[in-house]
Amino acid sequence: MSEDSMNFDVLIIGAGPSGLSTAIKLAQLTGALAQPLSICVLEKGAEVGAHIVSGCVLEPRALNELWPSWQKSQHPLKTKAKKDKFYMLSQRRAWRLPNPPQMNNHGNYIVSLSKVCRWLADEAERLGVMVIPGYAAQEPIFDDGVLVGVKTGDMGRQKDGSAGPGFQPGVSIYAKQTVLAEGCRGSLSEIIMKKYHLRTGKQPQTYAIGVKEVWQVDDSVYQEGHILHTVGWPLKNDTYGGSFLYHYEGDKIALGFVIGLDYTNPTLDAHAELQRYKHHPLIEPLLQKGTRIAYASRALNEGGWQAVPTCYFPGGLLVGCAAGFLNVPKIKGVHTAMKSGILAAEAVAAHIQGVQLEQLGKNYESRLKQSWMMRELKQCRNIRPGFYRGLWVGLANAALETITFGKLPWTLSLREDHNRLKPLKAIKPITYPKPDGKISFRKLDSVRLTGTNHAENQPCHLKIKNDKTPIKINYKIYGGPESYYCPAAVYEYVKIDGRVVFQINAQNCIHCKTCDIKDPTQNIQWVPPQGGEGPRYSDT
């Protein structure tokens, strides 16, 4: 990529499930044309899948639509879901509960989403799509109010902004249409939504943080295809969240915790919650003879149907978790992300030649509204906000919404996550047990398993808008919540010569985006670092 600019018919930002589904479907639909469309997928990870993580039970509905013959390929969907269990936990006990129908995983597959994306990328390239990893789309390019492309980040800049050894300027990539498939809290997606007011009239998007580990376990405890979810301990009644544990190929267990970012206690630490959860009598025996082989974290959308923005704008479309299509009670978003990519490709294929941008956007929006995906999201729209009044009210509301198929004549409101924290003086700080180094681990020990890497001499990609706010507000009022909610020990408050200093260890960042969401004053802006940097996930 030494050219100053490149041109394509369609540019897709992000090689996740939605972006690759867009590319594959578009190539399928236009491959027989006399002049097939030129399609590029730009991915900020060093390789496809490097930044992909999910506690993933894949519902194959959209995959079957996209690629009906996928089972004839060398696919990574090796473990069929066999048995579901759902528990309520106290600190020492576990009560089996009826399995919610949304969690019925018959016909689904337990997968590494990182591997699935590499497989989809191979299929996209086979169909003629250019997939370019290692380059981060940092700036949108506009022409007369229309998005016409993106500029990738410079490589080799120094902290002071000067060009260092081996400096390589960013490349401008132009396209007739740009599809934003960046995933949850995508940087360009947020810029575009604000510029074109795509959230006007919509409810605020809400989020959760997911933390995950992969363990190689002893054959005596491994149960292929078994799935376990829990609610309750170690979380308090007023904190939304729960755990997942999946047995999948090669005697591996993927386990993790998802916690709603509307929590109020500024000392809550998602990584530490996962560590003490693993010591529960239901869980610890599975891990005692095992070895932890991976760790990862990512923010995820939870707003659902009422938080979906307008998904088109002059020059492009939003797909997947960039728009927020996760189905919360199912704990699944891959099938909906893929479906949105399919719909976007169908709209682009039908209209890219000589069509007005507004017509293309309305075509896509119409396809979304008529799809099974949006019907599915509308049916469960009230389940997540039903937990705002606590676990027991939330479970009762979820049962009511389920038995009425979401047809009750109201839609519950959502609330923003960043303004939910209580001052430190108004709460009881959480005291977490010291990790034992066998089942539970320190945060930095976990970060080492992510393979994350950032050049320390480059400009920091975690932008602080007001340098005084971290000490004046975050530390003095809330006790420094960044040092708790970050799952990678990026943020620290340290004492130097008797005074507290806010320190950013940007090299630790694993691109979860939680800081961009949860900071109480919205003072932190996450922007892409140099392309290719960040975590290097392979089995997540």
Side-chain angles (χ1 to χ4, degrees), residues 123 134 141 143 151 162 180 206 266 272 294 296 414-415 422 426 472 481:
E123 174 63 9
I141 301 173
D143 183 11
K151 186 175 185 295
S162 63
L180 298 180
T206 63
L414 302 170
R415 60 194 188 193
K422 294 180 179 179
K472 183 178 180 181

Side-chain angles (χ1 to χ4, degrees), residues 256-418:
F257 233 91
V258 176
I259 300 175
L261 285 178
D262 60 325
Y263 66 82
T264 60
N265 190 322
T267 66
L268 187 147
D269 185 321
H271 175 271
E273 296 291 351
L274 174 60
Q275 300 314 306
R276 64 175 176 175
Y277 155 80
K278 291 185 293 180
H279 285 287
H280 192 278
L282 183 68
I283 307 302
E284 185 169 352
L286 301 174
L287 308 178
Q288 283 177 337
K289 296 181 181 180
T291 302
R292 192 174 67 144
I293 60 175
Y295 169 74
S297 180
R298 188 70 167 92
L300 54 148
N301 305 100
E302 288 197 333
W305 182 79
Q306 56 267 58
V308 173
T310 299
C311 290
Y312 66 93
F313 53 89
L317 308 173
L318 290 168
V319 298
C321 286
F325 294 126
L326 181 90
N327 183 320
V328 173
K330 274 191 175 182
I331 324 177
K332 293 177 179 63
V334 175
H335 67 301
T336 48
M338 294 181 72
K339 180 61 176 180
S340 70
I342 292 170
L343 297 173
E346 290 173 345
V348 171
H351 294 282
I352 194 164
Q353 295 178 339
V355 69
Q356 293 182 8
L357 298 179
E358 184 180 11
Q359 292 175 325
L360 169 59
K362 288 185 176 180
N363 185 307
Y364 175 49
E365 196 85 0
S366 175
R367 290 171 186 269
L368 285 174
K369 289 179 180 178
Q370 296 173 26
S371 68
W372 56 257
M373 177 188 75
M374 292 304 286
R375 290 194 297 272
E376 181 178 302
L377 293 181
K378 185 176 182 180
Q379 184 173 318
C380 65
R381 70 194 181 281
N382 289 328
I383 291 181
R384 174 61 182 93
F387 283 88
Y388 286 161
R389 291 190 289 170
L391 176 61
W392 296 107
V393 173
L395 289 174
N397 175 73
L400 178 62
E401 291 288 337
T402 298
I403 63 176
T404 58
F405 299 96
K407 293 182 179 180
L408 294 172
W410 56 74
T411 296
L412 298 180
S413 297
L414 302 170
R415 60 194 188 193
E416 293 183 291
D417 297 316
H418 71 272

Side-chain angles (χ1 to χ4, degrees), residues 418-431:
H418 71 272
N419 56 15
R420 299 300 302 166
L421 288 181
K422 294 180 179 179
L424 188 62
K425 64 181 181 181
I427 60 93
K428 180 180 179 181
I430 302 172
T431 301

Side-chain angles (χ1 to χ4, degrees), residues 216-249:
Q216 193 82 48
V217 299
D218 189 78
D219 186 62
S220 63
V221 298
Y222 176 71
Q223 301 178 79
E224 183 178 291
H226 280 219
I227 293 170
L228 183 149
H229 291 101
T230 74
V231 293
W233 188 87
L235 300 180
K236 299 291 188 180
N237 178 65
D238 63 351
T239 302
Y240 177 82
S243 78
F244 61 87
L245 190 152
Y246 308 145
H247 297 247
Y248 70 118
E249 72 170 297

Side-chain angles (χ1 to χ4, degrees), residues 122-139:
D122 288 343
E123 174 63 9
E125 290 182 319
R126 188 185 70 80
L127 293 171
V129 175
M130 180 179 288
V131 179
I132 306 176
Y135 286 82
Q138 285 198 336
E139 299 177 29

